[in-house]
């Protein structure tokens, strides 16, 4: 019997004419691992929330949803709570209490269980997830990955049969995300827990999924095996960019049938193709351009007694380039960016901008026309109730900037958002509005902190295009990121930040084809046949059949 | 070492409540001497060398109270000398000494209480009284560091768009700070929606909550609690029978040393010595374990 039977479900928000969900028909079998994908705004979150009674949004729902044959509305509240677990996107917001052990017991306390039962369940879960070393710690001291693991564990103590997860890895770094997916895979394999997961980072998820469901404009457009998903998507569909590298290359070769999913399968498939290699054109490294910003021997720490975060940090930024600084989470690359932006003061060394020391600039000089910073959380910039006011506030009192404002709105494609509240926008849209805000200061240098965090493949693509066109207008861009693929595709120089300093810096092709582990999926997949391919496009371009 | 603090919070709390109560009300020289010695030795065991540093604070307090009493109180029969035509009496000096001993003892016991009853133990006791209140406290403890951190981030972001609260006119600074706070509030409210979802998803409000804690009430906790209670009751009876009665004015009462009173003194001493005794026994046990290993 199906664990979930969704029959002809439609949904409409109050005061909204459009149907968010249209005649959804879905059966979920016990023990399935399902990945739900689609662009932001396609209704996937709304669908997922329909399955968790407590979180179902207000609005008009038609059709029926049955859990184990019982309509969801008639389910006993205790069973509805404990059997159906829900993990949300932001790891920070879901943690309610101050101690790890208290967080784990929260759900069981709500269900009114006695102390010995709670003690046992909590112990069981902490052991299963390997959390015993930080069991008594405060929740503030945990990393993002640990927090999300804690959120999952504090659902698991209630012994759910189904887990619903709404983009749980979007705020995590790639390594923590991979660990999280591996944990889900383990829960599915070892305990047979049914999993329905919304994801946009598909590289690691698709190989472990039994079924993929693709949604578009409130409808399911594909429901079936991940390997055959390509066939049902139209050519050049935006979802294709989100698929794993092996699948994308497979698609670019116009192949049909069962697509390879993992790097290993991709390697095998590529080796079996009869291809002629084409030499890729080497892009020259643009170091003969003038230096815009230079960091000289910078050392920095937060407290007098704490460890150094930057150790004799050196960096040159050339005029008009896009530079990405890569590194693991918590290594201090965001701190490096703050020092470059003059937001934190180093105890040794200087930052020079156009040959002048950063301290010699007044704040007004520095942040008007010189440096602009796009923070990791764009919401730290928003003050007003409407996007329109948010932007006009930046240029108040100046007539001549009206044209500039209009141009910028057109360039960023945010014209349709002007009347909306900044908090109602999707992650990608919020970022664009924040970007528009800082660009109105007409900077020469734009510093971005993890701009690809939590945005989908489509938004990433449009951000990249935007940065490219800004670069053509003469803007210099420095990006701090852990997104290897993004850096490989769009930057001119890549720098690896490790142990408080830049350890290597080169153009993407040399940088990524020189690395064996810390490199793009496309390079890992093609290394044995091609030396220099680092993106899907490279792989396709360098082995076009003659 | 430090075994005493591993006892259940209820035991620890009752012990300190009882001791501080008795220290405050038993103004008898023998009782005061016992409690002062007890408080000092427990402090020494718990805080080690830091105890000697803290003496710098206790000694002046002690001397001050001791001196002030004879200067303002001129009761008593045994006049020692006159100061500005005021009598300075032996009784008043001794009463000052007793007051000083009592106050410093209470301070010392409170310092022991502080190092033994950490905030999570206190919270746990509160949760026995009201589960909702303790949850609110726990959520607050989670939010304070989060807000502080976010405030710093908002401040930095605002600085880069010209809203730096550290420079400019007073009016500008106030405007910047208001703006930063307004952003923080919007941010916090927005996040609270997701936190509420996370609570709802885990059955919050479904029925009466139980309260879970990591503290286990063991047999030894029960025994110790019973001993404390018993000794407290005996001391109380002793007090009713007059073992703690001592008059400073108009003339000092003598200290009685009948068998009955000696019994009550020793009961009080036993109660006072419990924590130090536990620590010492444990220390010896370890030494023995090591030597036989």
């Amino acid at each position: 019997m199906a664990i979930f039977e969704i029959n002809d479900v439609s949904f409409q928000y109050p005061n909204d004419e459009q149907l968010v969900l249209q005649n959804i028909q879905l059966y979920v079998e016990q023990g399935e691992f399902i990945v739900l994908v689609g662009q932001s705004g396609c209704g996937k979150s709304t669908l997922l929330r329909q399955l968790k009674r407590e979180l179902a949004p207000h609005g008009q729902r038609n059709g029926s949803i049955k859990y184990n044959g019982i309509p969801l509305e008639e389910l006993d509240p205790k069973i509805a709570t404990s059997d159906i677990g829900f993990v949300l996107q932001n790891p920070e917001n879901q943690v309610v209490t101050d101690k790890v052990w208290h967080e784990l017991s929260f759900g069981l306390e709500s269900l009114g269980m006695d102390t010995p039962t709670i003690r046992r369940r909590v112990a069981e879960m902490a052991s299963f997830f390997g959390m015993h070393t930080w069991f008594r710690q405060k929740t503030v001291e945990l990393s993002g990955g640990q927090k999300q693991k804690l959120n999952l564990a504090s659902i698991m103590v209630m012994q759910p049969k189904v887990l619903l997860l709404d983009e749980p890895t979007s705020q995590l770094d790639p390594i923590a995300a991979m660990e999280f997916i591996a944990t889900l895979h383990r829960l599915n394999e070892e305990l047979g827990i049914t999993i329905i997961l919304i994801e946009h980072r598909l590289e690691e998820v698709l190989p472990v999924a039994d079924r993929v469901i693709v949604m578009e404009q409130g409808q399911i457009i594909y429901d079936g095996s991940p390997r055959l998903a390509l066939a049902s998507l139209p050519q050049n569909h935006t979802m294709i960019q989100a698929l794993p590298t092996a699948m994308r290359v497979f698609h670019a070769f116009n192949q049909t049938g069962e697509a390879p999913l993992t790097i290993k399968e991709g390697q095998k498939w590529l080796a079996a193709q009869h291809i002629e290699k084409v030499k890729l054109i080497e892009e020259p490294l643009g170091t003969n351009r003038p230096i815009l910003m230079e960091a000289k021997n910078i050392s920095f720490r937060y407290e007098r007694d704490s460890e150094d975060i930057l150790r004799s940090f050196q960096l040159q930024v050339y005029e008009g380039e896009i530079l990405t600084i890569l590194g693991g989470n918590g290594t201090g690359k965001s701190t490096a960016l703050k020092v470059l932006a003059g937001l934190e003061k180093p105890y040794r060394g200087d930052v020079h901008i156009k040959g002048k020391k950063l301290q010699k600039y007044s704040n007004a000089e520095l942040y008007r026309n010189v440096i602009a910073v796009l923070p990791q959380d764009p919401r730290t910039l928003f003050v007003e109730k409407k996007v329109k006011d948010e932007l006009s506030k930046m240029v108040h009192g100046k007539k001549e900037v009206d044209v500039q404002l209009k141009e910028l709105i057109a360039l960023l494609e945010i014209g349709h958002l002007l009347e909306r509240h900044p908090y109602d926008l999707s992650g990608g849209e919020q970022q664009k509005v924040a970007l528009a805000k800082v660009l109105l200061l007409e900077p020469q240098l734009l510093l971005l902190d993890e701009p690809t965090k939590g945005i989908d493949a489509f938004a990433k693509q449009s951000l990249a295009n935007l940065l490219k066109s800004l670069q053509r207008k003469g803007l210099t861009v420095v990006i701090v990121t852990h997104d290897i693929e993004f850096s490989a595709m769009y930057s001119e120089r890549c720098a690896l930040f490790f142990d408080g300093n830049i350890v290597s810096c080169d153009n993407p092709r040399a940088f990524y084809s020189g690395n064996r582990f810390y490199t793009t999926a496309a390079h890992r997949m093609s290394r044995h046949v091609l030396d220099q391919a680092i993106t899907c496009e490279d792989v396709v371009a360098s082995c076009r059949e003659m | 070492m430090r075994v005493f603090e591993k006892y259940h919070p209820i035991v620890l709390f009752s012990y300190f409540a009882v001791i501080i109560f008795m220290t405050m009300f038993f103004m008898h020289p023998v009782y005061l001497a016992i409690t002062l010695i007890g408080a000092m030795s427990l402090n020494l065991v718990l805080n080690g060398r830091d105890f000697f540093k803290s003496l710098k604070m206790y000694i002046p307090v002690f001397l001050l109270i001791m001196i002030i009493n004879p200067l303002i109180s001129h009761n008593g029969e045994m006049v020692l000398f006159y100061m500005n035509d005021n009598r300075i009496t032996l009784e008043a000096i001794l009463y000052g000494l007793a007051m000083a001993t009592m106050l410093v003892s209470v301070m010392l016991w409170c310092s022991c209480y502080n190092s033994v009853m950490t905030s999570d133990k206190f919270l746990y006791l509160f949760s026995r009284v009201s589960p909702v209140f303790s949850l609110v406290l726990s959520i607050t403890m989670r939010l304070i560091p989060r807000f502080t951190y976010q405030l710093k981030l908002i401040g930095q972001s605002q600085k880069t768009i010209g809203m730096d609260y550290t420079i400019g006119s007073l009016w500008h600074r106030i405007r910047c700070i208001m703006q930063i706070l307004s952003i923080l509030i919007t941010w916090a409210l927005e996040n609270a929606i997701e936190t509420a979802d996370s609570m709802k998803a885990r059955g919050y409000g479904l029925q009466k909550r139980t309260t879970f804690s990591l503290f286990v009430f063991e047999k030894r906790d029960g025994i110790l609690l019973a001993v404390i209670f018993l000794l407290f009751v005996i001391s109380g009876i002793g007090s009713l029978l007059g073992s703690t009665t001592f008059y400073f004015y108009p003339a000092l009462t003598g200290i009685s040393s009948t068998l009955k009173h000696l019994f009550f003194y020793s009961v009080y001493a036993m109660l006072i010595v419990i924590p130090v005794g536990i620590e010492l026994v444990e220390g010896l046990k370890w030494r023995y374990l090591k030597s036989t290993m």
Side-chain angles (χ1 to χ4, degrees):
Chain A
M1 191 178 63
I3 195 161
F4 268 120
E5 282 174 58
I6 302 164
N7 261 318
D8 204 24
V9 164
S10 299
F11 183 79
Q12 194 172 12
Y13 281 106
N15 310 323
D16 198 353
E17 305 219 328
Q18 222 183 340
L19 284 173
V20 186
L21 298 174
Q22 289 178 43
N23 310 84
I24 300 285
Q25 196 78 27
L26 188 65
Y27 292 91
V28 179
E29 296 294 331
Q30 166 74 42
E32 273 192 301
F33 193 129
I34 298 179
V35 177
L36 188 56
V37 296
Q39 270 188 48
S40 56
C42 71
K44 54 190 191 314
S45 288
T46 313
L47 176 60
L48 200 69
R49 277 177 177 253
Q50 296 295 337
L51 304 182
K52 175 80 180 168
R53 197 175 62 187
E54 291 79 7
L55 302 185
H58 293 286
Q60 176 68 36
R61 194 193 87 194
N62 297 316
S64 76
I65 300 175
K66 282 182 183 170
Y67 171 75
N68 274 336
I70 307 164
L72 210 54
E73 305 77 50
E74 291 164 25
L75 209 57
D76 178 54
K78 257 184 155 172
I79 293 178
T81 301
S82 56
D83 273 18
I84 305 170
F86 201 102
V87 178
L88 300 140
Q89 196 180 98
N90 191 320
E92 295 282 342
N93 290 346
Q94 288 174 82
V95 177
V96 176
T97 61
D98 62 333
K99 291 277 169 70
V100 171
W101 62 265
H102 197 182
E103 191 63 27
L104 280 174
S105 63
F106 184 88
L108 301 174
E109 287 178 336
S110 307
L111 293 175
M113 293 196 172
D114 56 5
T115 300
T117 318
I118 297 182
R119 188 180 301 278
R120 183 173 153 194
R121 293 252 194 116
V122 163
E124 212 184 2
M125 233 48 254
S127 311
F128 184 85
F129 281 91
M131 294 165 54
H132 46 276
T133 48
W134 36 282
F135 183 65
R136 279 171 189 261
Q137 237 167 298
K138 285 182 183 163
T139 49
V140 250
E141 295 160 3
L142 306 181
S143 70
Q146 283 178 320
K147 275 190 192 124
Q148 199 62 309
K149 212 175 190 181
L150 172 63
N151 290 326
L152 181 61
S154 53
I155 299 288
M156 287 307 299
V157 288
M158 298 194 286
Q159 304 183 337
K161 303 211 166 53
V162 189
L163 269 181
L164 310 172
L165 304 105
D166 192 351
E167 300 193 23
T169 68
S170 69
Q171 302 295 315
L172 307 183
D173 64 292
I175 291 170
M178 234 153 72
E179 264 174 36
F180 191 82
I181 299 293
T183 311
L184 288 182
H185 186 50
R186 196 173 148 215
L187 290 174
N188 178 249
E189 288 287 322
E190 291 179 12
L191 306 171
I193 289 168
T194 313
I195 290 175
I196 308 178
L197 168 71
I198 294 182
E199 254 302 345
H200 54 240
R201 202 170 353 197
L202 298 175
E203 194 80 45
E204 286 88 23
V205 177
L206 272 202
V208 299
D210 298 316
R211 230 166 110 188
V212 59
I213 294 170
V214 185
M215 283 186 70
E216 195 168 72
Q217 291 172 345
Q219 286 175 316
I220 293 178
I221 57 167
Y222 177 77
D223 178 359
S225 152
R227 288 179 194 282
L228 300 171
L230 276 172
S232 70
L233 292 171
Q235 192 81 17
N236 297 327
H237 192 269
T238 44
M239 273 313 299
I240 289 171
Q241 293 164 14
L243 294 173
T245 314
M247 276 182 104
R248 271 187 293 158
V249 175
F250 181 83
H251 178 73
F253 276 78
N254 292 318
Q255 300 262 356
T256 50
E258 296 223 328
L261 291 179
T262 60
I263 300 292
K264 195 169 84 177
E265 289 172 5
Q267 283 177 350
K268 216 164 138 191
W269 170 82
L270 198 64
Q273 304 300 308
H274 298 284
I275 42 174
E276 274 187 53
K277 292 180 207 168
V278 179
K279 185 106 182 90
L280 290 164
I281 305 145
E282 202 51 56
E283 296 134 32
L285 196 60
T287 47
N288 45 4
R289 283 178 281 184
I291 291 176
L292 180 65
M293 178 193 254
E294 187 169 21
K296 288 181 180 166
N297 289 319
I298 287 180
S299 295
F300 176 82
R301 56 178 166 233
Y302 278 104
E303 308 286 333
R304 201 179 151 201
D305 305 323
S306 62
E307 288 257 331
D308 274 3
I309 292 171
L310 302 180
R311 301 168 205 267
S312 293
F313 175 80
Q314 307 244 29
L315 181 73
Q316 281 97 32
V317 180
Y318 299 102
E319 248 170 51
E321 71 171 345
I322 296 184
L323 167 72
T324 47
I325 300 174
L326 288 130
N329 241 39
T331 48
K333 51 188 197 320
S334 289
T335 309
L337 194 79
K338 280 182 184 163
V339 170
L340 291 179
L343 293 172
E344 300 280 4
K345 287 197 175 48
Y347 70 85
R348 193 168 74 89
D350 297 298
V351 177
H352 294 252
I353 297 172
K354 294 196 279 187
K356 187 171 152 189
K357 272 190 192 176
L358 189 125
Q359 295 98 295
K360 298 250 168 82
Y361 286 89
S362 74
N363 270 351
E365 275 180 290
L366 190 63
Y367 300 119
R368 222 162 242 287
N369 309 334
V370 182
I371 293 185
V373 186
L374 184 71
Q376 208 174 101
D377 183 358
R379 291 179 300 177
T380 53
L381 286 172
F382 298 150
V383 199
E384 302 296 329
K385 288 190 178 60
K386 278 181 182 171
V387 171
K388 192 174 64 180
D389 305 333
E390 205 68 70
L391 297 178
S392 55
K393 190 177 175 156
M394 295 296 291
V395 292
H396 53 85
K398 290 184 211 154
K399 274 268 160 69
E400 71 272 24
V401 283
D402 254 17
V403 186
Q404 185 206 351
L405 186 58
K406 280 200 182 105
E407 261 176 40
L408 199 60
I409 289 169
L411 179 71
L412 274 80
E413 296 163 349
I414 51 173
H416 59 294
L417 307 174
L418 291 179
E419 294 297 324
R420 292 175 58 190
H421 193 287
Y423 274 76
D424 292 338
L425 309 178
S426 75
E429 290 167 340
Q430 281 186 347
Q431 199 177 51
K432 276 187 178 176
V433 173
L435 196 55
K437 217 177 153 169
V438 297
L439 285 175
L440 283 171
L441 297 169
E442 296 181 76
Q444 297 168 31
L445 175 63
L446 177 63
L447 305 172
L448 300 101
D449 192 1
E450 299 286 4
T452 61
K453 192 176 187 176
I455 63 173
D456 64 12
F458 177 72
K460 228 190 247 189
Q461 173 80 54
S462 93
L463 173 73
N465 295 340
L466 187 66
L467 291 178
K468 281 280 177 197
S469 53
L470 288 170
Q471 184 199 18
R472 278 193 292 276
K473 289 185 171 180
L475 189 72
T476 310
V477 181
V478 176
I479 305 169
V480 158
T481 182
H482 44 226
D483 192 330
I484 293 177
E485 317 290 330
F486 186 82
S487 139
M489 282 172 85
Y490 305 110
S491 62
E492 282 173 347
R493 283 199 310 144
C494 308
L496 180 61
F497 183 88
F498 179 76
D499 196 30
N501 204 352
I502 301 285
V503 288
S504 76
C505 186
D506 217 328
N507 68 339
R509 194 171 309 288
F511 184 83
Y512 286 110
S513 54
N515 287 355
R516 294 223 131 203
F517 307 99
Y518 200 76
T519 183
T520 60
H523 184 65
R524 280 181 280 142
M525 190 182 111
S526 65
R527 188 168 50 220
H528 59 299
V529 282
L530 307 164
D531 320 319
Q532 298 234 294
I534 57 165
T535 63
C536 282
E537 288 72 27
D538 284 350
V539 176
V540 178
S542 57
C543 47
R544 269 275 163 251
E545 287 163 89
M546 295 278 162
Chain B
M1 290 227 294
R2 313 281 307 253
V3 250
F4 180 61
E5 63 182 36
K6 302 260 162 56
Y7 278 83
H8 196 271
I10 287 182
V11 178
L12 300 177
F13 186 79
S14 349
Y15 181 75
F16 283 109
V18 160
I19 290 296
I20 292 172
F21 173 82
M22 291 197 301
T23 304
M24 284 196 314
F25 289 98
F26 293 173
M27 285 290 277
H28 185 285
V30 177
Y31 279 78
L32 286 174
I34 293 172
T35 195
L36 182 66
I37 293 168
M40 289 201 325
S41 44
L42 184 60
N43 247 295
L44 195 62
V45 171
L46 291 178
N47 302 333
R49 222 171 265 164
D50 286 345
F51 169 62
F52 294 108
K53 277 186 208 156
S54 62
L55 280 182
K56 264 188 274 174
M57 180 187 80
Y58 294 123
I59 290 173
V61 172
F62 189 91
L63 293 176
L64 195 71
I65 300 167
M66 208 180 92
I67 292 166
I68 285 176
N69 191 57
L71 293 182
I72 53 175
S73 162
H74 309 294
N75 296 335
E77 289 179 341
M78 185 85 97
V79 181
L80 296 179
F81 56 90
Y82 284 87
M83 210 163 105
N84 294 344
D85 294 334
N86 283 322
R87 312 195 304 167
I88 301 295
T89 65
L90 178 69
E91 287 82 1
I93 290 177
L94 287 179
Y95 187 71
L97 187 69
M99 281 284 280
T101 313
M102 188 272 276
L103 277 168
V104 168
S105 300
V106 169
M107 282 163 71
L108 285 167
W109 283 118
C110 285
S111 127
C112 293
Y113 170 88
N114 260 340
S115 67
V116 168
M117 287 291 283
T118 46
S119 63
D120 52 328
K121 290 183 192 170
F122 184 71
L123 270 185
Y124 163 75
L125 286 180
F126 246 106
S127 72
R128 301 269 107 178
V129 183
S130 155
V132 176
F133 182 68
S134 84
L135 182 64
V136 169
L137 271 182
S138 175
I139 294 174
T140 316
M141 304 277 263
R142 151 107 186 100
L143 288 182
I144 290 169
R146 240 193 120 186
F147 283 4
T148 328
Y149 180 67
Q150 187 69 16
L151 212 51
K152 190 181 167 197
L153 291 185
I154 296 173
Q156 286 179 337
S157 287
Q158 290 298 314
K159 188 177 168 185
T160 66
I161 55 169
M163 297 297 279
D164 188 351
Y165 67 92
T166 55
I167 52 165
S169 65
L170 185 66
W171 173 235
H172 173 79
R173 286 180 196 211
I174 292 172
R175 254 186 48 216
C176 289
I177 288 171
M178 292 309 286
Q179 180 155 326
I180 289 170
L181 287 179
S182 140
I183 295 172
L184 181 76
I185 290 165
T186 320
W187 174 87
L189 290 177
E190 189 69 21
N191 287 345
I193 296 172
E194 208 168 287
T195 309
D197 275 350
S198 152
M199 289 169 75
K200 255 192 288 173
R202 286 185 278 161
Y204 183 74
L206 209 58
Q207 62 182 93
K208 200 170 178 300
R209 287 175 68 76
T210 49
T211 309
F212 172 69
S213 85
L214 294 177
F215 301 111
V216 187
F217 195 84
E218 289 176 52
K219 201 173 151 196
R220 63 167 196 184
D221 297 308
I223 293 172
L224 188 60
L225 196 60
V227 169
I228 292 169
F229 184 70
L230 188 72
L231 296 179
F232 175 58
V233 170
I234 295 176
S235 296
I237 293 171
S239 177
L240 289 177
L241 293 178
S243 72
T244 60
T245 317
F246 188 87
Y247 297 110
F248 288 89
Y249 304 122
L252 299 174
T253 339
I255 293 172
S256 133
S257 55
T258 59
L259 207 58
K260 184 181 84 180
H261 285 130
L262 284 179
F263 169 72
F264 287 123
Y265 297 158
S266 48
V267 164
Y268 189 64
M270 271 159 70
L271 186 52
I272 292 285
V273 92
I274 284 174
V276 178
I278 288 173
E279 296 291 350
L280 285 181
V281 168
E282 199 72 8
L284 288 176
K285 230 196 259 174
W286 269 103
R287 196 168 277 188
Y288 173 71
L289 276 178
K290 265 196 185 149
S291 65
T292 53
M293 244 190 280

